[in-house]
């Protein structure tokens, strides 16, 4: 009986007939993510954070979707978000949580380092009809 090596018996399991060495990672190039794509990711992350961190009851006005702008430079990014938030609320704490959530999500999806997230509150949405009454 003639013994065959496993790679000879099953040609797909052995090393390739001619091995091709991959170029070094620095020589392969880079993936470039346009700023408008990063801004859309940030806006979506802002929507999720707005829903989870600053829940606005649906019967007391609709919060507009967050908008985002981006400034990127060599693998790092600065984000600016504008969104509606509920009132009354601990706005400083809510803003800090939203900034953290958005920075984490953008970094996770893009691989970019988020240097800064600034947040502008466009409008405060009241959460109670009794608080909307005017004072005379």
């Amino acid at each position: 009986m003639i013994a065959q090596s496993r790679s000879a018996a099953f040609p797909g399991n052995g090393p390739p007939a001619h091995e091709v060495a991959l170029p070094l990672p620095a020589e392969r190039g880079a993936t470039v993510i346009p700023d408008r794509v990063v801004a859309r990711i940030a806006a979506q992350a802002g929507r999720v954070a707005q829903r989870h961190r600053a829940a606005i009851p649906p019967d007391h006005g609709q919060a507009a979707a967050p908008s985002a702008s981006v400034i990127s430079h060599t693998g790092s990014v600065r984000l600016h978000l504008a969104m509606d938030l509920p009132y009354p609320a601990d706005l400083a704490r809510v803003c800090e949580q939203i900034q953290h959530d958005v920075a984490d999500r953008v970094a996770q999806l893009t691989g970019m380092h988020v240097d800064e997230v600034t947040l502008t509150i466009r409008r405060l949405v009241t959460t109670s009809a009794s608080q909307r009454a005017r004072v005379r």
Side-chain angles (χ1 to χ4, degrees), residues 43-44 46-47 50 62-68 82-84 122-123:
Q44 177 61 33
R47 270 191 289 284
Q50 181 185 42
Q62 292 294 329
S67 61
M83 65 176 51
D84 298 346
R122 286 188 299 222
R123 180 174 68 113

Side-chain angles (χ1 to χ4, degrees), residues 25-111:
E27 296 173 359
R28 288 186 218 156
T31 301
V32 177
I33 303 173
D35 286 352
R36 62 184 162 73
V37 173
V38 177
R40 290 185 71 167
I41 291 170
Q44 177 61 33
R47 270 191 289 284
V48 171
Q50 181 185 42
R51 188 173 33 237
H52 292 286
R53 300 292 187 176
I56 299 172
D59 59 336
H60 292 293
Q62 292 294 329
S67 61
S69 61
V70 173
I71 299 172
S72 64
H73 182 66
T74 61
S76 65
V77 66
R78 293 172 57 191
L79 304 171
H80 178 259
L81 293 172
M83 65 176 51
D84 298 346
L85 292 178
Y87 183 82
D90 182 356
L91 294 175
R93 183 181 56 80
V94 169
C95 288
E96 185 178 314
Q97 291 173 335
I98 289 172
Q99 289 169 318
H100 179 72
D101 291 352
V102 170
D104 284 350
R105 188 66 176 156
V106 169
Q108 179 185 23
L109 292 176
T110 65

